[in-house]
C-alpha cells in the first residue's frame, strides 16, 4: 500500500549465455560466447565463474503482439463517488462492504476519516457519514465481516504505536479502540468475524534513527461486543530469527542499517484462507511472505520469493524513459517480486497464493538503497559491456538496489536487482512458482493503449515510468464466477485493471484490460494535469452476488489519485 508519509526454486541449470560486442556506428551484435551457470538462491552453490551479462539487440524487441483478450469475463462500469475535489492527495485507498446495512466503508486519508457510502444503488453511491479518527492518527485500512467493521489507524508520530477501532455499522460509531504495534498498515477479519489480523509494518522514520519491530497482531473479537475491552490480543514478532536468520527461507532481504531481523521485516498486506486456518502476510521490502497459523496463533515461516530472471524470453521489460519508444526486451537484470497485495484461492483441491508484484525500495534521508545503473560500478567480468548497458537508452536510468547487488563484497555490482516483477504470480503453498505473467502487462498496454504506455497516474506522460517499476501492479483479488476463478489485478501507475481466468493456475487466460482513464470509463473527473479518469487504483474489493445489492458480483475500486470509488459489474459472457 501507499505510505501516508511522504522464486525461483529448483536445481541449477546450464544456460547459453551471450558475449556482446557493441558497434557504436550501426547496431549491437550478439554472439554466443560461453555456457553460463545460473545460481538459484537457496538451492545451489555459487557458480565457479562469474556470469557475463549480455546486451539485448535493440533492433528486435520481444513485445508479444499475440496476447489477445478472450473476453469471457468483462468489467462494466456502473457508478462512481468522488470523495474530494482535490486530486493527488491520496484520499481514497481501501474499502470494505457490510451487506447487512448495504454500506461501503472507505479509507479517506485526506480527511482522516472512514467515509460511509450507501451502496443500495451502486450506480448512485451516496456518502451518508464520515467516522473521524484524527484523534488517533491516519486511517490505513478497513475490513468488514459478519456484521463487524474494523479499521486500522497509524499514529502520525512514528514513535507512537497505532490502533485498531471497532465500528458499529448500523450506528456508524466507534465502539472501542485497541492499541496494536507500530504503523498498522492492513487489517483483515476472518470470515466469521471472530478474529482480527493486523499487519504492523513498523517502518523507520525519515532519519532512520528509529526503526521499530514489525509485528502481527491477532485479536479475538467476542460474540458479545460489549466485552470487546477484554479481547484477547496475541502479538507475533520475528525475534526468533535475530540470532539465526538462516531459519528463514532463502532469499529474504535483511539489509537495513544496524537493524535486527525483527526490525527489518515489515508486514504489509494480509490474505486469509476461507477456512480461517491460515493467513499470509507480505513483507514487501524484504521480498518475502510470512505464513501464520491462526488456530495456534503462531508464526509458521518466513519465505523469500527469490528473483525474476529478466534475461529470459518472455520476461523482458522496457527499461528506459529516455528512448521515446516502447522497447520491451530481455535484460541482464534480476527482478525482486516484492508483492504488495496478496490473494489466495483453491482450485482442484489445492490452495494457491497470488501476488501483485509491485516492488518497493527503501529511500529515506538517513538511508537509501536506490540507485540508477549508470551510477554503479559494475563488475567487468559479469558485465563486459557495462559502458553500453549504462547508456540512458539502455539500462542507465533503471532504478536498482545498490545495497544487495555486490555478492562478494569487493565493491563491484555482480547482479542488478530491480524493484518489482511488473507482473502477477501464482505460487503453491510451498512457495513454488506455478505461473508468472512475465512481460504480459507491458505488452498488453503497448498493444491496447500505446499512447499511455508506462505513464504515471499523477503526470500523464508516455514512457515516464519505464525506468522505475513500469505499470506497478499494486493489488489483486480472486473471486469465483460460476465455475471460474477470476483474478483482477490493479495497475497503480498505469491506472488500469487486468482480468485473468486462473481456474487452471498453471495456465491463466487473459480476459480483459480495462483502462481506468477516461478512454474506457465515462467520467467527469479531471486530474490536476487536465486529464480525465479514475487514477491510481489502490484497493480492490469484490462483493459476491449473494451479498450484492444488485444480486450480481461487483468490483469496487478505490483510486487514490483521483479520490474516487468506482463500482463495476463483473459479467461472465456465455458462448
Amino acid at each position: 500500500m501507499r505510505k501516508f508519509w511522504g522464486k525461483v526454486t529448483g536445481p541449477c541449470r546450464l544456460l547459453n549465455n551471450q558475449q556482446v560486442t557493441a558497434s557504436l556506428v550501426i547496431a549491437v551484435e550478439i554472439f554466443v560466447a560461453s555456457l553460463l551457470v545460473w545460481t538459484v538462491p537457496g538451492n545451489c552453490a555459487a557458480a565457479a565463474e562469474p556470469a557475463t551479462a549480455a546486451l539485448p539487440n535493440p533492433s528486435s524487441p520481444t513485445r508479444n503482439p499475440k496476447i489477445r483478450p478472450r473476453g469471457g469475463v468483462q468489467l462494466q462500469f456502473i457508478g462512481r463517488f468522488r470523495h474530494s475535489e482535490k486530486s493527488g492527495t491520496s484520499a481514497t485507498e481501501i474499502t470494505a462492504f457490510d451487506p447487512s446495512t448495504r454500506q461501503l466503508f472507505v479509507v479517506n486519508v485526506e480527511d482522516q476519516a472512514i467515509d460511509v457510502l450507501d451502496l443500495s444503488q451502486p450506480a448512485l453511491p451516496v456518502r451518508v457519514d464520515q467516522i473521524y479518527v484524527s484523534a488517533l492518527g491516519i486511517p490505513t485500512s478497513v475490513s468488514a465481516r459478519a456484521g463487524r467493521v474494523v479499521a486500522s489507524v497509524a499514529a502520525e508520530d512514528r514513535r507512537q504505536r497505532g490502533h485498531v477501532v471497532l465500528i458499529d455499522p448500523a450506528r456508524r460509531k466507534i465502539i472501542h479502540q485497541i492499541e496494536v504495534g507500530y504503523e498498522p498498515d492492513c487489517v483483515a477479519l476472518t470470515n466469521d468475524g471472530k478474529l482480527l489480523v493486523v499487519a504492523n509494518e513498523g517502518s523507520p522514520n525519515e532519519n532512520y534513527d528509529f526503526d521499530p519491530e514489525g509485528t502481527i497482531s491477532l485479536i479475538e473479537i467476542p460474540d458479545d461486543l460489549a466485552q470487546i475491552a477484554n479481547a484477547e490480543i496475541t502479538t507475533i514478532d520475528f525475534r526468533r530469527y535475530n540470532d539465526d536468520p538462516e531459519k528463514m527461507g532463502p532469499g529474504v532481504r535483511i539489509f537495513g542499517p544496524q537493524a535486527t531481523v525483527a526490525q527489518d521485516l515489515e508486514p504489509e498486506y494480509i490474505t486469509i484462507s476461507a477456512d480461517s486456518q491460515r493467513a499470509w502476510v507480505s513483507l514487501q521490502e524484504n521480498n518475502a511472505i510470512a505464513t501464520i497459523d491462526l488456530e495456534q496463533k503462531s508464526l509458521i515461516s518466513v519465505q523469500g520469493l527469490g528473483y525474476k530472471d529478466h534475461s529470459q524470453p518472455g520476461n523482458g521489460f522496457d527499461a528506459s524513459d529516455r528512448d521515446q519508444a516502447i522497447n520491451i526486451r530481455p535484460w541482464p537484470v534480476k527482478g525482486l517480486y516484492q508483492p504488495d497485495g496478496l490473494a489466495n484461492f483453491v482450485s482442484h483441491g489445492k490452495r494457491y497464493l497470488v501476488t501483485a508484484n509491485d516492488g518497493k525500495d527503501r529511500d529515506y534521508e538517513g538511508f537509501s538503497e536506490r540507485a540508477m545503473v549508470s551510477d554503479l560500478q559494475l563488475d567487468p567480468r559479469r558485465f563486459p559491456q557495462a559502458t553500453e548497458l549504462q547508456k540512458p537508452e539502455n539500462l542507465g536510468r533503471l532504478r536498482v538496489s545498490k545495497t544487495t547487488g555486490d555478492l562478494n563484497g569487493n565493491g563491484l555490482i555482480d547482479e542488478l536487482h530491480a524493484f518489482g516483477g511488473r507482473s502477477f504470480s501464482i505460487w503453491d503453498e510451498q512457495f513454488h512458482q506455478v505461473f508468472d505473467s512475465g512481460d504480459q502487462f507491458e505488452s498488453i498496454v503497448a498493444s491496447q493503449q500505446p499512447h499511455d504506455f508506462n505513464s504515471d497516474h499523477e503526470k500523464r506522460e508516455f514512457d515516464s515510468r519505464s525506468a522505475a517499476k513500469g505499470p506497478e501492479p499494486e493489488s489483486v483479488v480472486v473471486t469465483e464466477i460460476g465455475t471460474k476463478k477470476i483474478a483482477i489485478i490493479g495497475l497503480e501507475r498505469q491506472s488500469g485493471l487486468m482480468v485473468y481466468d486462473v481456474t487452471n493456475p498453471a495456465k491463466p487466460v487473459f480476459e480483459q484490460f480495462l483502462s481506468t482513464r477516461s478512454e474506457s470509463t465515462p467520467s467527469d473527473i479531471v486530474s490536476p494535469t487536465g486529464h480525465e479518469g479514475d487514477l491510481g487504483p489502490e484497493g480492490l474489493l469484490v462483493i459476491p452476488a449473494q451479498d450484492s445489492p444488485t444480486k450480481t458480483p461487483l468490483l469496487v475500486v478505490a483510486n487514490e489519485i483521483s479520490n474516487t470509488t468506482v463500482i463495476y459489474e463483473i459479467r461472465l459472457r456465455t458462448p
Side-chain angles (χ1 to χ4, degrees):
M1 285 183 239
R2 176 171 174 166
K3 296 281 189 299
F4 55 85
W5 296 285
K7 174 157 194 229
V8 180
T9 58
C12 290
R13 297 169 294 168
L14 291 177
L15 302 175
N16 286 327
N17 194 27
Q18 297 171 322
Q19 181 95 18
V20 180
T21 302
S23 171
L24 301 178
V25 179
I26 302 176
V28 178
E29 297 179 352
I30 302 175
F31 298 93
V32 177
S34 61
L35 288 175
L36 164 66
V37 178
W38 283 91
T39 300
V40 180
N43 291 278
C44 310
E49 295 295 330
T52 41
L55 180 65
N57 187 339
S59 66
S60 54
T62 62
R63 181 169 75 250
N64 185 357
K66 297 181 180 180
I67 302 174
R68 295 288 185 266
R70 182 170 64 180
V73 180
Q74 292 286 303
L75 303 179
Q76 180 65 47
F77 174 86
I78 295 180
R80 172 190 294 108
F81 180 82
R82 187 168 191 178
H83 297 259
S84 171
E85 294 303 316
K86 299 178 183 179
S87 292
T89 55
S90 186
T92 312
E93 293 201 351
I94 305 297
T95 65
F97 181 69
D98 176 52
S100 64
T101 60
R102 292 189 172 182
Q103 291 178 149
L104 189 70
F105 295 81
V106 186
V107 170
N108 186 330
V109 173
E110 181 186 353
D111 292 347
Q112 294 183 251
I114 303 298
D115 286 0
V116 185
L117 305 185
D118 183 349
L119 216 63
S120 297
Q121 299 182 61
L124 297 170
V126 178
R127 182 161 57 193
V128 293
D129 212 339
Q130 286 187 294
I131 304 170
Y132 291 95
V133 297
S134 53
L136 296 174
I138 300 174
T140 56
S141 183
V142 64
S143 181
R145 290 287 188 278
R148 282 88 183 268
V149 178
V150 178
S152 55
V153 185
E156 294 191 66
D157 180 355
R158 293 200 190 189
R159 295 177 181 267
Q160 302 296 320
R161 294 178 180 271
H163 292 79
V164 293
V165 295
L166 184 65
I167 298 170
D168 183 331
R171 296 188 296 135
R172 302 191 288 271
K173 301 292 183 182
I174 294 176
I175 300 173
H176 190 65
Q177 63 190 48
I178 301 172
E179 186 178 82
V180 288
Y182 294 93
E183 195 187 351
D185 199 40
C186 182
V187 291
L189 284 160
T190 54
N191 278 338
D192 58 11
K194 294 183 177 182
L195 184 67
L196 172 65
V197 185
V198 188
N200 304 300
E201 186 167 7
S203 58
N205 63 357
E206 195 61 37
N207 293 329
Y208 226 105
D209 56 11
F210 179 74
D211 186 7
E213 293 183 357
T215 60
I216 298 165
S217 299
L218 305 180
I219 303 173
E220 292 277 2
I221 306 296
D223 293 333
D224 182 2
L225 295 183
Q227 301 298 316
I228 186 63
N230 301 318
E232 178 185 340
I233 304 174
T234 301
T235 300
I236 295 176
D237 59 42
F238 302 99
R239 295 177 183 174
R240 70 171 72 170
Y241 301 123
N242 284 347
D243 296 327
D244 193 359
E246 298 301 320
K247 288 183 179 179
M248 296 186 292
V252 182
R253 302 176 80 225
I254 303 297
F255 62 99
Q258 300 179 334
T260 65
V261 173
Q263 288 175 306
D264 208 66
L265 295 177
E266 299 184 11
E268 185 88 19
Y269 192 88
I270 305 161
T271 183
I272 298 177
S273 62
D275 60 11
S276 302
Q277 294 183 359
R278 291 285 187 272
W280 296 269
V281 182
S282 60
L283 308 167
Q284 189 175 19
E285 288 87 347
N286 313 102
N287 193 36
I289 294 177
T291 304
I292 308 298
D293 185 328
L294 297 182
E295 292 188 319
Q296 300 298 319
K297 298 181 182 178
S298 63
L299 175 64
I300 296 176
S301 67
V302 173
Q303 177 67 52
L305 298 180
Y307 301 92
K308 179 172 180 173
D309 186 354
H310 283 298
S311 72
Q312 296 303 299
N315 275 357
F317 64 99
D318 190 316
S320 175
D321 59 354
R322 289 294 185 269
D323 56 3
Q324 298 299 308
I326 298 175
N327 290 309
I328 303 170
R329 59 170 57 86
W331 292 102
V333 172
K334 289 189 174 183
L336 297 158
Y337 292 99
Q338 297 183 303
D340 188 339
L342 304 175
N344 75 92
F345 69 102
V346 175
S347 182
H348 304 293
K350 294 184 178 180
R351 186 172 301 281
Y352 298 90
L353 294 177
V354 187
T355 58
N357 303 321
D358 176 28
K360 180 73 174 296
D361 58 28
R362 283 184 174 144
D363 185 31
Y364 300 89
E365 289 183 7
F367 168 78
S368 178
E369 68 167 319
R370 181 190 296 178
M372 290 193 298
V373 174
S374 60
D375 295 331
L376 301 177
Q377 284 189 285
L378 307 184
D379 189 321
R381 298 174 303 164
R382 301 214 178 201
F383 300 98
Q385 298 301 327
T387 301
E388 195 71 20
L389 280 171
Q390 290 179 303
K391 288 183 176 181
E393 65 269 23
N394 293 321
L395 289 180
R397 291 179 52 78
L398 180 68
R399 288 183 185 177
V400 294
S401 175
K402 62 183 178 183
T403 304
T404 61
D406 180 3
L407 304 184
N408 55 18
N410 67 349
L412 302 176
I413 296 298
D414 304 296
E415 291 181 349
L416 294 172
H417 295 169
F419 307 109
R422 307 191 185 199
S423 61
F424 84 101
S425 299
I426 301 178
W427 316 78
D428 65 20
E429 287 195 83
Q430 288 71 47
F431 294 97
H432 300 131
Q433 192 178 86
V434 176
F435 171 83
D436 183 81
S437 62
D439 61 11
Q440 290 185 23
F441 287 172
E442 284 186 313
S443 294
I444 291 166
V445 175
S447 175
Q448 298 191 25
Q449 198 182 23
H451 54 286
D452 277 328
F453 176 81
N454 280 355
S455 185
D456 194 23
H457 53 8
E458 294 187 68
K459 186 178 181 180
R460 193 173 185 179
E461 184 178 352
F462 169 80
D463 207 27
S464 63
R465 294 296 299 176
S466 290
K469 295 178 288 184
E472 288 195 30
E474 168 86 4
S475 50
V476 59
V477 289
V478 178
T479 189
E480 187 169 344
I481 308 293
T483 61
K484 297 181 180 296
K485 308 286 185 178
I486 304 301
I488 304 169
I489 304 97
L491 306 184
E492 181 183 18
R493 295 282 182 168
Q494 185 65 45
S495 294
L497 303 169
M498 291 286 181
V499 184
Y500 280 76
D501 181 345
V502 295
T503 306
N504 181 348
K507 295 181 179 180
V509 178
F510 170 52
E511 295 283 359
Q512 181 187 19
F513 166 57
L514 176 68
S515 171
T516 56
R517 301 178 189 269
S518 58
E519 290 89 342
S520 299
T521 57
S523 178
D524 58 357
I525 304 301
V526 181
S527 74
T529 56
H531 296 289
E532 298 179 352
D534 298 298
L535 307 176
E538 173 76 15
L540 306 182
L541 171 71
V542 170
I543 302 177
Q546 63 267 26
D547 295 333
S548 168
T550 64
K551 300 306 177 185
T552 57
L554 303 176
L555 174 70
V556 180
V557 182
N559 299 282
E560 66 175 353
I561 299 304
S562 56
N563 296 335
T564 53
T565 295
V566 182
I567 299 93
Y568 300 90
E569 186 176 82
I570 308 173
R571 296 180 177 178
L572 183 63
R573 194 173 67 181
T574 56

